[in-house]
Amino acid sequence: LKQSTLIIISFFPLSALAQTNQDSISNNRWWNFHYQSTIITQAHPAFHAGYSGNNSLKSGDESNTSISSTLFFGAKMWKGAAVYFDPELSGGSGFSKTTGVAGFPNGEVYRVSNAAPQIYIARLYLRQIIPLSTETTNIDDAINQLPGKMPTSYLSLTAGKYSLMDFFDNNRFSHDPRSQFYNWALMGNGAWDYPANTRGYTYGLTFEVVKPEWALHYAAVLIPIKANGAMMDKKITRSNSQAIEFEHKYNLFGEKGTVHFITFLTQARMGSYTQSLDFATLHNITPNIDTTTAIGHTKYGFGINIEHSINSNVGFFLRSSWNDGRNETWVFTEIDRAISTGLQLNGNLWNRKEDHLSFAFLMNGLSKEHRNYLSAGGYGFIIGDGKLNYATECVAEVYYAFKLKNTAFTLSPDYQFILHPAYNKDRGPVNAFGIRAHIEL
């Protein structure tokens, strides 16, 4: 925590300098530069645990810190085309080496073997815009968004390395753990085993048709060679993931909202929960999902995502998702059914217009096949207590984002109440307390 504090303090001179530079850069229409850094420290006190396994959340006192820093570069190439390049540094880990809770309480950490800070390329992609209308609108200078005029209707083709969450399952009130809710299952639809490497990025193509009131998004991308892996499988005929999302903007009782419908299909060398359990029963051993990996196993599902402004100071969101749950979780987290909802209150209500206060509640569930596998002592890459007394995993989260006046610095204390961590009635509840420092230029 002391080290984190020193890092935070060192950002203030950088913040002032970068902000000055940014003012001049934002007037340049062919390139831009942005920066973010986020530090999250979390702790949980000891909690009840009837038993523990290899992937259990540690029942004793625990605290962890994570850090990420990202540079965002954008440049226009030819008419309608832009390239984006985002080098990133991240380090640290979550509770218990990021295991023990399906809706993990820190969306800034990953299941990596080495928690030391590492530098890598997060994004490197080309985006081509093809106008479908002569009418345009002005867009602001922002992260991975160049300022200027954008047609109100257009086709878009994106190719390269990026996060699929950049283009899918967006929500104004619940999407980014660097500035909104911490929890993994509040970044997007929890039951979408969204394709990515260990750090959340993939390679592929995304095609979009955008109109003023609706949009259609389609993506075909690579997935890892093995579950929660860093290396991507380039044999796309046997291993790939596809997603389609329809987005519709609406106006209800004079207030704006957006609804997203998403469906997804992933093909990979996934193990089957039922086959693994049958094999283990036949040989009188503990089930291991790796005994049934095969070419051609799939995971499919769908989700809905709604954001709605109740009034100018209150926003509401709701997500619900489902996947078939027959084969192992491959890339994100072990959730087969999910629902989440919450509110965001703007600081205008108490004369702090740049602050906000947010509340959320989520419930995660497993398919019958998945829970039977865990009950018999099987393990996934996120959860597994050696046995299971099944119950829905429930999380309540509240945070306050406090923006320091005339700076790019936001401080956000957070609290999460986790009931039935990893779907187990015999463990918990867990109280997780956090503090986040975030700078965005």
Side-chain angles (χ1 to χ4, degrees):
L1 185 58
K2 290 180 179 178
Q3 185 179 12
S4 302
T5 304
L6 289 174
I7 295 173
I8 294 168
I9 292 171
S10 70
F11 285 154
F12 280 102
L14 174 63
S15 171
L17 177 61
Q19 186 62 52
T20 300
N21 290 339
Q22 188 58 42
D23 290 340
S24 60
I25 290 172
S26 64
N27 294 322
N28 193 316
R29 294 291 175 176
W30 73 271
W31 72 284
N32 69 356
F33 162 76
H34 291 271
Y35 168 79
Q36 80 80 30
S37 190
T38 305
I39 299 171
I40 295 178
T41 294
Q42 285 185 304
H44 73 74
F47 62 89
H48 167 75
Y51 44 85
S52 297
N54 295 343
N55 284 351
S56 294
L57 189 68
K58 293 179 181 178
S59 58
D61 296 348
E62 194 175 9
S63 65
N64 293 86
T65 296
S66 65
I67 181 172
S68 73
S69 294
T70 316
L71 299 176
F72 303 91
F73 297 98
K76 293 183 179 180
M77 304 297 287
W78 51 86
K79 185 176 181 180
V83 64
Y84 297 95
F85 172 56
D86 302 349
E88 187 167 76
L89 175 148
S90 70
S93 64
F95 298 139
S96 306
K97 297 182 179 180
T98 320
T99 60
V101 187
F104 200 78
N106 183 352
E108 274 283 88
V109 296
Y110 313 97
R111 287 284 293 119
V112 295
S113 58
N114 185 0
Q118 296 183 6
I119 298 175
Y120 51 89
I121 296 174
R123 298 175 184 84
L124 178 58
Y125 63 88
L126 177 72
R127 191 177 189 215
Q128 176 70 58
I129 301 294
I130 302 172
L132 295 178
S133 68
T134 57
E135 184 179 356
T136 62
T137 183
N138 289 319
I139 60 171
D140 296 330
D141 187 324
I143 287 176
N144 292 328
Q145 177 177 288
L146 289 161
K149 293 185 180 296
M150 174 74 79
T152 56
S153 298
Y154 61 88
L155 300 177
S156 171
L157 179 64
T158 302
K161 184 180 184 182
Y162 48 83
S163 168
L164 214 57
M165 289 287 192
D166 296 339
F167 305 98
F168 285 77
D169 208 8
N170 195 12
N171 192 294
R172 283 181 294 155
F173 310 116
S174 178
H175 192 58
D176 186 356
R178 292 171 177 171
S179 58
Q180 297 172 325
F181 293 102
Y182 290 22
N183 196 282
W184 281 21
L186 293 171
M187 294 159 53
N189 272 299
W192 181 23
D193 193 23
Y194 88 93
N197 62 13
T198 307
R199 297 189 182 277
Y201 303 101
T202 186
Y203 301 85
L205 298 172
T206 295
F207 177 75
E208 301 168 279
V209 181
V210 178
K211 294 284 188 175
E213 294 186 353
W214 62 269
L216 184 66
H217 313 270
Y218 168 77
V221 298
L222 302 183
I223 61 171
I225 295 173
K226 63 179 182 179
N228 189 50
M231 301 297 295
M232 308 304 281
D233 194 339
K234 298 178 182 177
K235 296 183 179 180
I236 59 174
T237 57
R238 75 174 189 189
S239 181
N240 63 78
S241 187
Q242 301 176 69
I244 300 175
E245 180 182 84
F246 176 73
E247 171 187 336
H248 176 64
K249 297 178 181 179
Y250 64 86
N251 195 302
L252 183 64
F253 304 121
E255 297 295 342
K256 295 181 179 180
T258 306
V259 58
H260 308 251
F261 300 95
I262 183 171
T263 184
F264 44 88
L265 171 67
T266 298
Q267 177 180 338
R269 299 176 61 87
M270 302 173 184
S272 162
Y273 293 121
T274 298
Q275 291 177 14
S276 298
L277 191 54
D278 290 345
F279 182 86
T281 302
L282 180 63
H283 294 84
N284 195 28
I285 58 175
T286 300
N288 185 338
I289 198 71
D290 292 336
T291 61
T292 60
T293 55
I295 297 174
H297 282 176
T298 61
K299 186 182 294 291
Y300 65 89
F302 54 84
I304 185 171
N305 169 4
I306 299 171
E307 60 178 69
H308 182 74
S309 296
I310 296 175
N311 57 45
S312 60
N313 292 315
V314 182
F316 164 82
F317 75 89
L318 172 69
R319 282 192 178 99
S320 182
S321 53
W322 175 95
N323 72 58
D324 63 292
R326 294 180 296 110
N327 300 314
E328 70 177 306
T329 300
W330 199 247
V331 287
F332 184 41
T333 190
E334 298 189 52
I335 300 173
D336 301 321
R337 292 92 174 88
I339 186 167
S340 61
T341 187
L343 294 172
Q344 177 175 297
L345 309 181
N346 190 281
N348 276 325
L349 293 171
W350 52 92
N351 299 317
R352 291 279 308 174
K353 64 179 182 179
E354 293 188 291
D355 295 2
H356 64 270
L357 173 66
S358 295
F359 308 85
F361 178 74
L362 62 94
M363 296 190 298
N364 303 321
L366 296 178
S367 66
K368 182 178 179 181
E369 297 90 339
H370 198 162
R371 72 180 76 162
N372 288 343
Y373 170 79
L374 293 172
S375 296
Y379 289 94
F381 63 79
I382 294 290
I383 61 174
D385 297 324
K387 55 182 178 177
L388 180 66
N389 183 7
Y390 180 79
T392 301
E393 181 182 88
C394 301
V395 181
E397 180 173 1
V398 57
Y399 76 92
Y400 184 89
F402 178 83
K403 181 74 176 292
L404 270 65
K405 189 175 181 179
N406 299 323
T407 74
F409 183 81
T410 303
L411 198 64
S412 304
D414 178 273
Y415 169 70
Q416 296 177 59
F417 176 80
I418 305 168
L419 183 65
H420 310 141
Y423 311 99
N424 202 332
K425 291 181 183 177
D426 296 333
R427 310 187 85 250
V430 180
N431 295 283
F433 302 89
I435 184 72
R436 174 180 61 204
H438 175 68
I439 291 174
E440 186 172 308
L441 306 170

